[in-house]
Amino acid sequence: MFHLLDIIGTMAFAMSGALTAMNKKLDPFGVFIIAFVTAVGGGTLRDVMIGRTPVGWMLDLKYVYVIIVGFLLALLFRKKMDKLRKSLFLFDTIGLGVFTLVGLEKGINVGLHPIICIAIGTMTACFGGVTRDILCNEIPVIFRKEIYATICILGGIVFFSIKRLVKSKSKQND
Amino acid sequence: MFHLLDIIGTMAFAMSGALTAMNKKLDPFGVFIIAFVTAVGGGTLRDVMIGRTPVGWMLDLKYVYVIIVGFLLALLFRKKMDKLRKSLFLFDTIGLGVFTLVGLEKGINVGLHPIICIAIGTMTACFGGVTRDILCNEIPVIFRKEIYATICILGGIVFFSIKRLVKSKSKQND
Amino acid sequence: MFHLLDIIGTMAFAMSGALTAMNKKLDPFGVFIIAFVTAVGGGTLRDVMIGRTPVGWMLDLKYVYVIIVGFLLALLFRKKMDKLRKSLFLFDTIGLGVFTLVGLEKGINVGLHPIICIAIGTMTACFGGVTRDILCNEIPVIFRKEIYATICILGGIVFFSIKRLVKSKSKQND
C-alpha cells in the first residue's frame, strides 16, 4: 500500500512541478528538471538523512518512468490542469498528504521516535515543493499558506496513533 | 562540554531563525520551520557529508525541545531580542562560534585532515544561516558581512592548534 | 584518466564560481566560498546520494588546493577571464562536460542502471552551478540556457554506450 502511495505522490508532485515551471516560462529541459526535483526532492532528503543510500529512486527505474508520464501529462493537458491546480491546489495537496505517510513509514522502519517520524514525514512532503520554489526564485509557498503544512502534520499525528494501535493489537494476538 | 556547546548553539540559531522569519511576516508555522532549519541545518549537512546517519537531531529529542523553547522565547520576547540582535548580532555570533567548535570536533573524531575539519566547522556554523536567508529569499548575510565567517575560521584554527597540543601532551603522559 | 578529468572540472568550476561572485561584488571571503561550493557542490550531492561518505573532497586535500589555485587565478586575471567566459561560457562548458563523465563513472561503479547513471552525471555537472546561482539570488542559468544541459545529457548517453561496448569486448577477451 505504501508503494502505491509513493507512486501517486511522485506523479502528483511531478505534475505540480511541471506546471509551476511552465508558468515561469522555462524551456522544456528546465520544466523536466523542476518536475524531477519536485518529485524526488523530499524522498532524497529523507533517505540521505536516515542513511538509506543509494537513495530510493536510484534503485528503481519506476520513479523515473512515473515522472516522465507526469511531465508529459502536464505538457499535454496544461490548461485543464492549471485550472484544477489553481482552484483546488489539487496536486500539491495529494502529494503532501501521501508523502507525509510514506515519510512516516520510513522513519518508523528505522526505529526513530514518533515525534522525529512526524518531522521526517513533514520534510518528505514539503521539501520537494520548497526546492521547486527556490529554483524558481520565489518565497516557498509552504511559508505563505500555513494550512497545508498544518494538515500534513496533523495527518502524521493521526496516522502514527493508528499505526501504534494496530501494532500493539497485533502484538497482543501473537 | 561539546554537548553543552551544541545545546547553546542550537538555542541561539533557533532564536535567530525565528526572529528573521517574524520580521519577514511569515505565519507561525513558517516561523517554526525556519527556526528549526536554521538550528539543525548546519549539523545535518555535516552529518550527511561525513556519513553519520541518521543525523544527530533524529536520535535525540533534546534538540527538538531546545528548538521549541528557543522558538517560544523569540515569540514572547520579540521586541527585546530584536534590539539585542540588531545591535550585537548576538545570537548569530554565539551560534557561529559554538557550532564551529562542534563541527571541528566531529571532523576530528572521523579522523579527517585539520584543514578539512576547519572547512567542516565553518560549514556547520554557516549553513543554517545560509539556508535561513535562502528560504527568506535574500542574499545570504554571510556573504555580505565577512567579519563573522572570518572570525569563525580563525576560531577553528586556534581551536585545532590547542586541541593538537593537548593531545600530544596527553600522549607524552601515557 | 577520470582522476585528471575531476581535477580539470574542479578548477574550471572554481574559476566560474569566483568570476560570478566577483561580478556580484561579494567580499573576498564570499568569493572563495562560492568558488568552493561551485566546485565541490555537484560531487558532494552525488557522493551523499549514492552513499560514498565522507564525501570525496574531504578525503583528499588535492581538491582544496586546486580550488585555491582556481580562486587565485580568477582573482589575478579577472578581466581576461571574464572576456573568455562571456564569449564562450568556457569554464562552465568544460566543467559540465568533464563532471558528467566523472558522475557517470561513479554511478557505474556502484552498479546503478545506465539511465540513473546519466541522471547522476547530469546532477554532478549541474548542481554546483545551480547552487552558485541560488546563493547569488538568481534563477539558475541552467534553466535559461537549455543547450548546455542538453549537451551534457547527450554526452552522457554517448559515453555510456562507448563504455558498455568496451566492457563487453573486454569480457569477450577474458
Side-chain angles (χ1 to χ4, degrees):
Chain A
M1 183 194 123
F2 281 101
H3 202 70
L4 183 67
L5 287 179
D6 213 6
I7 299 294
I8 294 172
T10 304
M11 171 79 78
F13 270 131
M15 290 197 280
S16 147
L19 292 170
T20 308
M22 283 191 280
N23 287 338
K24 276 274 172 176
K25 285 169 192 165
L26 298 189
D27 63 63
F29 178 78
V31 171
F32 181 72
I33 292 285
I34 301 271
F36 195 90
V37 168
T38 310
V40 305
T44 300
L45 179 71
R46 177 199 64 214
D47 286 352
V48 158
M49 287 197 306
I50 65 179
R52 283 176 73 236
T53 52
V55 299
W57 60 267
M58 287 186 176
L59 300 174
D60 193 346
L61 274 184
K62 203 175 42 210
Y63 294 102
V64 176
Y65 297 140
V66 168
I67 293 167
I68 291 174
V69 171
F71 167 69
L72 292 178
L73 283 178
L75 226 62
L76 293 174
F77 304 106
R78 183 180 167 181
K79 274 184 196 161
K80 273 190 195 163
M81 286 191 171
D82 236 13
K83 230 180 280 172
L84 267 176
R85 187 172 157 254
K86 267 186 197 149
S87 54
L88 295 170
F89 293 92
L90 193 69
F91 304 116
D92 287 301
T93 313
I94 294 173
L96 279 175
V98 163
F99 269 21
T100 305
L101 293 183
V102 175
L104 264 168
E105 177 69 12
K106 308 266 172 176
I108 293 168
N109 286 344
V110 190
L112 298 170
H113 188 281
I115 293 183
I116 301 296
C117 290
I118 290 169
I120 295 176
T122 311
M123 276 185 307
T124 306
C126 299
F127 187 72
V130 167
T131 312
R132 176 195 65 207
D133 293 340
I134 289 174
L135 288 177
C136 295
N137 209 10
E138 295 187 3
I139 290 196
V141 76
I142 202 85
F143 299 138
R144 283 174 287 147
K145 315 223 177 253
E146 75 184 290
I147 188 77
Y148 295 103
T150 311
I151 282 173
C152 114
I153 288 180
L154 289 178
I157 294 170
V158 168
F159 167 80
F160 196 81
S161 317
I162 294 172
K163 181 89 190 173
R164 210 152 198 199
L165 214 76
V166 172
K167 252 194 186 167
S168 62
K169 280 210 175 170
S170 73
K171 271 187 187 169
Q172 283 173 355
N173 293 343
D174 287 348
Chain B
M1 183 196 124
F2 282 102
H3 202 71
L4 185 66
L5 287 179
D6 213 5
I7 299 295
I8 295 172
T10 303
M11 172 79 78
F13 270 131
M15 289 196 282
S16 147
L19 292 170
T20 308
M22 282 190 282
N23 288 338
K24 276 274 172 176
K25 285 170 192 163
L26 297 189
D27 64 62
F29 178 78
V31 171
F32 181 71
I33 292 285
I34 300 272
F36 195 91
V37 168
T38 309
V40 305
T44 300
L45 180 70
R46 177 198 64 214
D47 286 351
V48 158
M49 287 197 307
I50 64 178
R52 282 177 73 238
T53 52
V55 299
W57 61 267
M58 287 186 176
L59 300 174
D60 193 345
L61 274 184
K62 203 176 40 211
Y63 294 102
V64 176
Y65 297 140
V66 168
I67 292 167
I68 291 174
V69 170
F71 166 68
L72 293 177
L73 283 178
L75 226 63
L76 293 173
F77 303 107
R78 184 180 167 180
K79 274 185 195 161
K80 273 191 196 163
M81 285 190 172
D82 237 12
K83 230 180 279 172
L84 267 176
R85 187 171 157 253
K86 268 187 198 146
S87 53
L88 297 170
F89 294 90
L90 193 68
F91 303 115
D92 288 299
T93 314
I94 294 173
L96 279 175
V98 163
F99 270 20
T100 304
L101 293 183
V102 175
L104 265 168
E105 178 69 11
K106 307 266 171 176
I108 293 167
N109 286 344
V110 189
L112 298 170
H113 188 280
I115 293 182
I116 302 294
C117 291
I118 290 169
I120 295 175
T122 312
M123 276 185 307
T124 306
C126 299
F127 187 72
V130 168
T131 313
R132 177 195 65 208
D133 293 338
I134 288 174
L135 288 176
C136 294
N137 208 11
E138 295 186 3
I139 290 196
V141 77
I142 202 85
F143 298 138
R144 283 174 287 148
K145 317 224 176 254
E146 73 184 291
I147 187 78
Y148 295 103
T150 311
I151 283 172
C152 115
I153 287 180
L154 289 178
I157 294 170
V158 168
F159 167 80
F160 197 80
S161 318
I162 294 172
K163 181 89 190 173
R164 210 149 198 201
L165 214 75
V166 172
K167 253 193 188 167
S168 61
K169 280 210 173 171
S170 74
K171 271 187 189 171
Q172 284 174 355
N173 293 344
D174 285 348
Chain C
M1 181 195 127
F2 281 101
H3 202 71
L4 184 66
L5 287 179
D6 214 6
I7 300 295
I8 293 172
T10 303
M11 172 78 78
F13 270 131
M15 289 196 281
S16 148
L19 291 171
T20 308
M22 282 191 282
N23 287 340
K24 276 272 171 177
K25 285 171 190 163
L26 298 188
D27 63 63
F29 177 78
V31 171
F32 180 72
I33 292 285
I34 300 271
F36 194 89
V37 168
T38 309
V40 306
T44 300
L45 180 70
R46 178 198 64 215
D47 287 351
V48 159
M49 287 198 305
I50 65 178
R52 283 177 72 237
T53 52
V55 299
W57 61 266
M58 286 186 177
L59 300 174
D60 193 346
L61 273 184
K62 201 177 41 210
Y63 294 101
V64 176
Y65 296 140
V66 167
I67 293 168
I68 292 174
V69 171
F71 166 69
L72 292 177
L73 283 178
L75 226 62
L76 293 174
F77 304 106
R78 183 181 167 179
K79 274 183 194 159
K80 273 190 196 163
M81 286 191 172
D82 237 12
K83 231 180 280 172
L84 266 177
R85 186 170 157 256
K86 268 188 197 145
S87 54
L88 296 170
F89 294 91
L90 193 69
F91 303 115
D92 288 301
T93 313
I94 293 173
L96 279 175
V98 163
F99 270 21
T100 304
L101 293 182
V102 175
L104 265 167
E105 177 69 11
K106 307 266 172 175
I108 293 167
N109 286 345
V110 189
L112 297 171
H113 187 281
I115 293 183
I116 301 295
C117 291
I118 290 169
I120 294 176
T122 312
M123 276 185 306
T124 306
C126 299
F127 187 72
V130 167
T131 312
R132 176 196 65 206
D133 293 339
I134 289 174
L135 287 177
C136 294
N137 208 12
E138 295 186 3
I139 290 196
V141 77
I142 202 86
F143 298 138
R144 284 174 287 149
K145 317 222 178 254
E146 73 184 292
I147 187 76
Y148 295 104
T150 312
I151 281 172
C152 115
I153 288 181
L154 289 179
I157 295 171
V158 169
F159 167 79
F160 197 80
S161 317
I162 294 171
K163 181 87 191 173
R164 213 155 196 196
L165 214 74
V166 172
K167 253 193 185 166
S168 62
K169 280 210 174 169
S170 74
K171 271 186 187 169
Q172 283 174 355
N173 294 343
D174 285 349

